[in-house]
Amino acid sequence: MKPLFDVLVIGGGHAGIEASCAAARMGMRVGLLSMDPRTIGRLSCNPSIGGSAKGHLAIEIDALGGVMPRIADASGIQFKLLNTSKGPAVWSPRSQNDKDLYPTFAQHLLRQHPGITLIAQTAVEILVRSSQVYGIRTADNEELTASAVILCSGTFLNGVMWTGDTCSAGGRVGEQAAEKISDLLVSHGLEKGRLKTGTPPRVDKASIDLSNMVLHDGDETPRPFSIHTRHVRNRLACFATSTSEQTHDILREGFSRSPMFTGRIKGAGPRYCPSIEDKVDRFSDKASHTIVLEPEGLSTNTVYVNGFSTSLPVDIQERGLRSIRGLEHASILRHGYAVEYDFFFPYQLTFGLETKAIKGLFFAGQINGTSGYEEAAAQGLMAGINAALSVRNEGTFSLKRSEAYIGVMIDDLVNKNTEEPYRIFTSLAEYRLLLRIDTAYTRLSRYGRSLGLIDDATWNTITRKEELVARLERLTNETKITPLEAEPILRQAGEEPIIETTTIRTIVRRPNVNLSHLLDVKSDAVNSDFYNEHPDVIHRVDTAIRYEGYIEKLHKEIERFRQQESMMIPETFSYENVQSLSTEGRVKLSRIRPSSLGQASRIPGVSASDVSILALYLR
């Protein structure tokens, strides 16, 4: 009997949205299950998209044909490009978003999307036969059959919320937990763990004194995330203040009732985004911590207190907040809390995010031990693509570390131990100079096009931009500039003059020279298309010239990397037969079962000598 759906997606968070849209665009009949469809796309923590490295993920999602960047642009109320004082490899966009508009746009998109059916149900069982998924069972005891299932459960698997001594079941305020699926998956041989995340209080905007706070405004010329968006604008500002020693003393009074310090919470929290009590405890010599007040929308008075994530008792939260400059009379609309939840160790997944134990079952988002909307959305996109490919028996789609931050993230998840919630960082990408936001469409759009995720109009926009880049590259190689023309530009840049006519490209290699200034001088040779259509093309070519030597070196490293990746390891390979392997190396290799020598080399605990021995054995 033909299944009711090709792909069933469980969970309407950022992973579930991307998975549903990707699979539907690839021709699948998709059912998206949500306990309450009105909560689909909810920004349950900070109402923002992007940030350092996370913005790279968002741009890559757009380059592959995903939807998060378009929703972020439509609901954005402030836009900033971060890290512009550093090199272009780490420039990353971020938006503050309207917490009500974002889910509204997401739900509208899903309801209008061909091939997607929204189902207001709770999944209580994943149906498996002979290690193959065939659907799910709902709380109403209804069987929904499918060829593939994508589990995007967020913090809802056995979720427990904590505020001081008080705890209640749930994955988010006002929403119940999923209590049976974890144990069922364990019965099929999957190993689970426990993690924790948290959220800060929300306060009433009218109760805040902004007069002594620092303005955090958006960019003067804000840039959108998506190539589909022509313009965005800033509508609201954020403000910064800081804690004090008085604040820290108040918070310490609640440590004896903290579920984190008393051991009630067993799961590890995010080290890079600790709770305020964790910061006070770990950095006891620090007199203050920055607090940023971020409006949650255009039609709401709620303000997100960024930097004050906490699960301390309510009375301590209130006193602590009101000891902060500008928040002396703060009216708290919702107290902070922590959520502890089940996740499944991602070494049990393929690079296509399919579970190795159950064919046709895919995991995406926080179930894989990650944190963050962007990490979840990127996984959802990849899971949706691969679920559709599995239904069509067309193999697996994956991205290499040298191709995308998405590739870095999934490679890290599959190969490394997840002992705390995983967050993407630019420092994790060894090829980050190649993975800049301005190269995302060059790197990835051909994949989105071949998979059917990018339509003709978008493809034409992308190819037109690539044509402009190629044309400007040629122009910098061929157009000459005289010493007389170059003299004022070089003098202003503090550079030595040239003594003979040379190419624009040669002069741009000088540290303080800007390509756009040279193009102004040679305006007769430069088509206005570069300025009118895609002004960032000039910056991209400037960067490529400036870092040319480093980029060539990286490409050589990638070629060596590819050689290792091409040495495949059979699925049935027995590491017990390779006697010279270290004990730790043999255990890690047997557990993760890498598909190539390259993957084996990136597993922590597998030494360089283990890799050499394995290479000799494979040959």
Side-chain angles (χ1 to χ4, degrees):
M1 182 183 294
K2 187 177 181 180
L4 184 61
F5 294 98
D6 296 310
V7 177
L8 277 170
V9 179
I10 303 173
H14 303 283
I17 292 168
E18 293 291 349
S20 300
C21 290
R25 289 290 294 276
M26 293 175 68
M28 299 293 106
R29 295 168 298 135
V30 177
L32 171 56
L33 270 81
S34 173
M35 296 178 186
D36 182 354
R38 294 171 298 179
T39 66
I40 288 174
R42 179 174 287 179
L43 300 170
S44 50
C45 196
N46 192 351
S48 72
I49 300 296
S52 186
K54 291 171 173 285
H56 288 74
L57 285 181
I59 299 293
E60 290 181 353
I61 289 168
D62 194 60
L64 284 167
V67 298
M68 170 181 266
R70 281 180 269 180
I71 303 171
D73 286 341
S75 61
I77 54 180
Q78 187 192 78
F79 296 84
K80 295 182 79 168
L81 188 62
L82 306 183
N83 304 325
T84 53
S85 63
K86 302 176 182 178
V90 297
W91 292 8
S92 198
R94 181 187 188 272
S95 66
Q96 197 69 27
N97 294 81
D98 188 301
K99 70 171 184 179
D100 297 318
L101 288 178
Y102 191 99
T104 297
F105 289 137
Q107 292 164 32
H108 177 76
L109 173 69
L110 292 168
R111 289 193 178 97
Q112 301 299 315
H113 204 299
I116 297 177
T117 302
L118 299 184
I119 305 168
Q121 281 280 11
T122 300
V124 296
E125 184 180 352
I126 308 288
L127 300 175
V128 180
R129 184 188 300 119
S130 303
S131 299
Q132 165 79 51
V133 75
Y134 69 91
I136 64 104
R137 188 184 309 281
T138 72
D140 293 339
N141 203 34
E142 181 183 5
E143 279 195 11
L144 301 176
T145 55
S147 300
V149 173
I150 306 173
L151 185 53
C152 310
S153 51
T155 59
F156 285 82
L157 292 183
N158 290 326
V160 177
M161 298 177 291
W162 289 91
T163 301
D165 298 320
T166 305
C167 73
S168 59
R172 192 162 53 195
V173 165
E175 297 178 52
Q176 64 188 41
E179 298 178 342
K180 297 181 180 178
I181 290 178
S182 280
D183 292 340
L184 175 96
L185 294 173
V186 168
S187 73
H188 286 282
L190 289 161
E191 182 187 0
K192 71 174 180 178
R194 199 84 170 144
L195 291 176
K196 165 246 174 189
T197 188
T199 192
R202 273 62 162 181
V203 299
D204 189 335
K205 184 177 181 180
S207 68
I208 302 171
D209 178 7
L210 300 175
S211 59
N212 291 319
M213 294 190 182
V214 179
L215 175 67
H216 278 209
D217 214 347
D219 289 341
E220 186 175 339
T221 306
R223 59 162 289 164
F225 283 102
S226 176
I227 200 168
H228 297 87
T229 309
R230 292 189 63 82
H231 302 290
V232 291
R233 61 192 179 100
N234 295 319
R235 302 180 182 212
L236 291 177
C238 301
F239 291 86
T241 181
S242 60
T243 62
S244 65
E245 287 288 6
Q246 180 192 4
T247 311
H248 301 171
D249 288 341
I250 293 170
L251 298 178
R252 289 187 186 101
E253 292 179 34
F255 282 8
S256 62
R257 292 185 285 152
S258 163
M260 186 175 71
F261 292 137
T262 57
R264 292 184 181 89
I265 292 178
K266 307 295 184 186
R271 176 167 39 92
Y272 47 81
C273 185
S275 64
I276 187 64
E277 57 264 36
D278 198 18
K279 284 190 278 191
V280 169
D281 184 56
R282 283 166 50 192
F283 308 109
S284 56
D285 57 336
K286 195 167 182 179
S288 66
H289 296 282
T290 299
I291 302 295
V292 181
L293 299 171
E294 300 174 333
E296 291 199 310
L298 299 171
S299 57
T300 178
N301 61 339
T302 64
V303 175
Y304 180 92
V305 188
N306 197 342
F308 205 89
S309 175
T310 183
S311 58
L312 286 168
V314 165
D315 61 311
I316 297 294
Q317 289 189 38
E318 292 178 353
R319 288 174 54 211
L321 265 181
R322 290 172 185 149
S323 71
I324 297 172
R325 185 180 69 253
L327 295 175
E328 293 87 351
H329 305 290
S331 173
I332 299 178
L333 301 175
R334 193 179 86 193
H335 293 90
Y337 63 93
V339 185
E340 192 178 20
Y341 57 94
D342 287 349
F343 81 104
F344 285 82
F345 291 99
Y347 74 82
Q348 302 168 105
L349 302 174
T350 69
F351 285 118
L353 301 182
E354 184 177 19
T355 60
K356 295 173 183 177
I358 304 172
K359 186 171 176 53
L361 178 61
F362 296 78
F363 289 169
Q366 286 175 282
I367 190 173
N368 291 333
T370 62
S371 70
Y373 308 144
E374 304 80 7
E375 288 89 341
Q379 291 172 71
L381 177 61
M382 296 297 284
I385 290 169
N386 281 298
L389 292 176
S390 75
V391 172
R392 300 194 316 216
N393 294 313
E394 293 181 4
T396 298
F397 171 68
S398 62
L399 293 165
K400 300 181 181 66
R401 297 183 71 90
S402 57
E403 290 183 301
Y405 274 88
I406 296 174
V408 172
M409 174 181 65
I410 294 177
D411 190 74
D412 282 350
L413 290 174
V414 172
N415 289 328
K416 297 179 181 178
N417 291 331
T418 307
E419 296 177 354
E420 62 181 55
Y422 176 93
R423 174 184 171 173
I424 193 70
F425 287 103
T426 54
S427 60
L428 297 174
E430 56 270 58
Y431 306 113
R432 57 186 170 274
L433 187 55
L434 300 177
L435 306 184
R436 307 186 310 273
I437 56 174
D438 61 338
T439 65
Y441 298 93
T442 305
R443 291 182 276 117
L444 302 174
S445 291
R446 67 186 187 277
Y447 295 129
R449 178 65 170 174
S450 66
L451 290 164
L453 301 179
I454 293 178
D455 60 27
D456 291 344
T458 307
W459 182 244
N460 290 339
T461 300
I462 293 168
T463 53
R464 171 61 176 166
K465 190 170 183 178
E466 294 304 310
E467 287 169 7
L468 290 175
V469 170
R471 192 195 305 171
L472 186 54
E473 287 274 9
R474 289 194 302 271
L475 188 147
T476 61
N477 279 322
E478 297 168 0
T479 304
K480 301 289 183 67
I481 190 165
T482 67
L484 186 62
E485 291 172 321
E487 191 274 334
I489 295 172
L490 294 175
R491 178 165 31 85
Q492 187 174 3
E495 296 281 352
E496 290 294 318
I498 58 174
I499 57 175
E500 58 184 24
T501 298
T502 187
T503 63
I504 287 178
R505 191 178 195 88
T506 301
I507 299 179
V508 173
R509 291 194 181 106
R510 296 194 178 194
N512 301 315
V513 177
N514 192 300
L515 174 58
S516 62
H517 295 158
L518 294 172
L519 294 179
D520 287 341
V521 170
K522 305 298 292 186
S523 57
D524 57 323
V526 181
N527 191 300
S528 61
D529 289 346
F530 297 121
Y531 296 99
N532 297 336
E533 290 189 51
H534 293 289
D536 57 323
V537 164
I538 297 173
H539 173 262
R540 177 172 158 188
V541 173
D542 186 300
T543 302
I545 295 171
R546 202 172 297 281
Y547 293 94
E548 195 169 26
Y550 295 103
I551 290 171
E552 286 178 6
K553 183 180 177 182
L554 286 176
H555 281 300
K556 289 177 182 176
E557 290 181 12
I558 289 168
E559 185 53 40
R560 289 194 293 271
F561 169 80
R562 282 177 180 158
Q563 290 173 9
Q564 282 196 325
E565 290 296 308
S566 65
M567 188 173 288
M568 307 308 293
I569 303 175
E571 281 187 34
T572 56
F573 187 84
S574 173
Y575 296 97
E576 297 299 323
N577 293 335
V578 188
Q579 297 300 318
S580 302
L581 289 173
S582 68
T583 301
E584 183 181 10
R586 184 179 292 108
V587 169
K588 293 291 182 65
L589 290 165
S590 298
R591 186 179 73 162
I592 295 175
R593 306 208 63 79
S595 59
S596 69
L597 187 67
Q599 184 187 351
S601 71
R602 298 190 299 278
I603 298 173
V606 177
S607 66
S609 61
D610 287 332
V611 175
S612 298
I613 291 164
L614 188 57
L616 287 170
Y617 198 92
L618 289 168
R619 289 194 188 101

